Amino acid sequence: MLEQLRKNYQGSNAVDDVSMRIPTGQFVSMIGPSGSGKTTTLMMTAGFVPPDSGRILLDGKDITALTPQSRGLGMVFQNYALFPHLTVAQNVAFPLEIRRTPRAEIRERVAQALEMVRLSPYAERKPQALSGGQQQRVALARAIVFRPPVVLMDEPLGALDKNLRYQMQVEIKELQQRLNTTVVYVTHDQEEAMNMSDLMVIMNGGRIEQVGAPREIYEQPRTVFAGKFLGEANVLLGSIESGAQASVFITGAGRRLALAPGLPRPPGKTAALFLRPEKVVLQPIGGAAGGIAGRLPGIVRRVSFLGHIVRYGVDVGERDILIADVPNTRGRPVHALGDAVEAEWPLEDTHLLEAT
Ligand code: ADP
Ligand code: MG
């Protein structure tokens, strides 16, 4: 549990009033752009950086003043931080050695930890004789060998290439579930965070922007920032005209768009209409399905074949090009550059957010 953590560096708040409950046994990721305060929050939690104010509680106990070692938390760093002169087994044994664990128990626990990360055959090697992925697994084994209640990880896969990273995501997640450990995981990689997390914490400028399950934040972003950070997004700026029956969204270019009845809206007259690209369907002009939907005519200005989807950029006469992601499946109409199309979407897939 973090309570109103604050850290100031040279007159600006790196972390500014961060409070959150970290549910036991869950995989919690902190995600945000570079400089948003993720590492500083994690380092305060680990005990390497003292907060200017606020408290850190572990199972109700205030650990804010404790040294990193006496907090008893596991830690995995991006650069592995392995001891080069020690073997794999000695690296993993290190946290137990400093805890003065009996020899026989150390041997058994190290063997178990290496088994879990599938490194048993490498126990007697030195770290430099291992691949990057294997070194990261040694760091992982070292973090879990003393069975900490919480493991903190800061961009642990940042140095690995994309394919290996995905494989390690799956391994770390499986290990976390098997051990039922609480993990707090820092990353700037949205897909990685979505793949692994029970709960995501979106950070922006030292503050928490939104906390929620990946699907919840993706489908129901509370701010334009949170929505844009988690994937592709269409944001149309405009204003809301409230009618007796239903409200209407007036786009920047003056087009009127239907809104779902009772759609929550931000205070004030201006708003951002938020719409994920995969909710947009493109039809030839006049081919729209009819019925009540959001609809804008436009001209196809970009076609990107991305394999699993075709991403279209449609000029609908607004400030930004409207993005439509169409799955690469049989029977979908294919549009070419310059085609006149109608972009259409279900009303319930739009959200009104505060225009920023
Ligand atoms: P993130 O991990 O999200 O990239 P950080 O927590 O590392 O962000 O940094 C947050 C802000 O605090 C940044 O503006 C960074 O420059 C500043 N900062 C972090 N550590 C220090 C430090 N030791 N001294 C001065 N400024 C720092
Ligand atoms: Mg960082």
Side-chain angles (χ1 to χ4, degrees):
M1 171 102 140
L2 309 181
E3 271 183 13
Q4 298 181 297
L5 283 183
R6 189 167 275 131
K7 183 72 191 177
N8 189 288
Y9 285 120
Q10 288 132 17
S12 74
N13 283 330
V15 173
D16 191 2
D17 197 16
V18 162
S19 298
M20 65 173 157
R21 208 177 70 78
I22 296 159
T24 305
Q26 296 224 335
F27 196 108
V28 180
S29 62
M30 287 177 33
I31 175 157
S34 178
S36 57
K38 308 181 295 293
T39 294
T40 306
T41 304
L42 203 74
M43 287 300 155
M44 289 194 283
T45 310
F48 294 109
V49 169
D52 293 334
S53 58
R55 297 199 306 163
I56 300 144
L57 304 173
L58 181 63
D59 293 328
K61 188 170 147 259
D62 189 342
I63 59 166
T64 318
L66 298 187
T67 62
Q69 199 200 314
S70 48
R71 292 182 189 207
L73 308 176
M75 182 86 205
V76 180
F77 301 91
Q78 172 171 355
N79 57 6
Y80 318 136
L82 300 176
F83 304 110
H85 56 286
L86 299 183
T87 65
V88 166
Q90 287 166 339
N91 264 281
V92 176
F94 185 77
L96 300 174
E97 302 277 1
I98 56 175
R99 284 174 174 74
R100 303 188 193 288
T101 310
R103 287 259 139 243
E105 193 181 335
I106 291 185
R107 216 171 305 124
E108 192 187 317
R109 289 231 206 155
V110 168
Q112 269 177 7
L114 287 178
E115 176 85 44
M116 278 189 203
V117 298
R118 298 183 294 108
L119 279 182
S120 304
Y122 300 90
E124 297 315 316
R125 291 217 194 160
K126 293 281 175 63
Q128 61 268 28
L130 301 177
S131 71
Q134 288 169 332
Q135 290 183 34
Q136 192 50 272
R137 298 218 297 268
V138 178
L140 207 58
R142 188 178 58 181
I144 60 167
V145 73
F146 59 100
R147 295 174 198 159
V150 181
V151 179
L152 308 174
M153 305 193 196
D154 191 359
E155 311 246 6
L157 308 182
L160 305 179
D161 65 47
K162 197 172 183 328
N163 290 335
L164 189 54
R165 225 161 53 206
Y166 184 76
Q167 191 191 323
M168 284 297 294
Q169 287 169 23
V170 174
E171 281 189 33
I172 292 176
K173 179 73 185 168
E174 282 176 0
L175 194 61
Q176 178 261 335
Q177 286 172 327
R178 192 138 42 103
L179 298 174
N180 201 22
T181 312
T182 308
V183 169
V184 182
Y185 188 99
V186 164
T187 179
H188 65 270
D189 183 328
Q190 302 87 315
E191 218 174 278
E192 183 166 299
M194 291 176 90
N195 181 24
M196 302 178 83
S197 310
D198 300 305
L199 209 57
M200 293 171 76
V201 180
I202 312 256
M203 302 274 300
N204 180 22
R207 290 173 162 270
I208 294 179
E209 189 89 10
Q210 188 168 358
V211 178
R215 180 179 287 270
E216 180 188 341
I217 300 185
Y218 185 84
E219 301 285 2
Q220 311 275 342
R222 278 217 308 261
T223 61
V224 169
F225 178 89
K228 279 188 166 175
F229 198 75
L230 269 208
E232 292 291 330
N234 291 304
V235 176
L236 294 171
L237 297 176
S239 56
I240 303 163
E241 191 180 278
S242 305
Q245 296 297 316
S247 297
V248 174
F249 185 80
I250 320 277
T251 69
R255 239 84 55 88
R256 299 171 70 82
L257 296 176
L259 293 172
L263 188 67
R265 48 170 292 183
K269 258 200 93 55
T270 62
L273 186 132
F274 184 90
L275 176 65
R276 292 284 179 201
E278 70 274 20
K279 316 288 189 190
V280 180
V281 177
L282 296 184
Q283 307 275 4
I285 291 281
I292 302 171
R295 202 170 286 138
L296 281 174
I299 307 289
V300 175
R301 291 294 181 210
R302 274 187 239 142
V303 181
S304 312
F305 179 72
L306 300 180
H308 64 305
I309 54 163
V310 184
R311 175 163 295 163
Y312 293 98
V314 182
D315 184 353
V316 291
E318 300 295 330
R319 189 192 67 175
D320 295 323
I321 293 277
L322 189 82
I323 303 169
D325 285 349
V326 179
N328 179 17
T329 47
R330 217 174 289 279
R332 302 270 172 177
V334 176
H335 308 281
L337 285 176
D339 279 2
V341 292
E342 204 142 41
E344 207 185 19
W345 58 87
L347 290 192
E348 53 275 17
D349 286 332
T350 56
H351 303 282
L352 292 175
L353 303 173
E354 200 172 324
T356 45

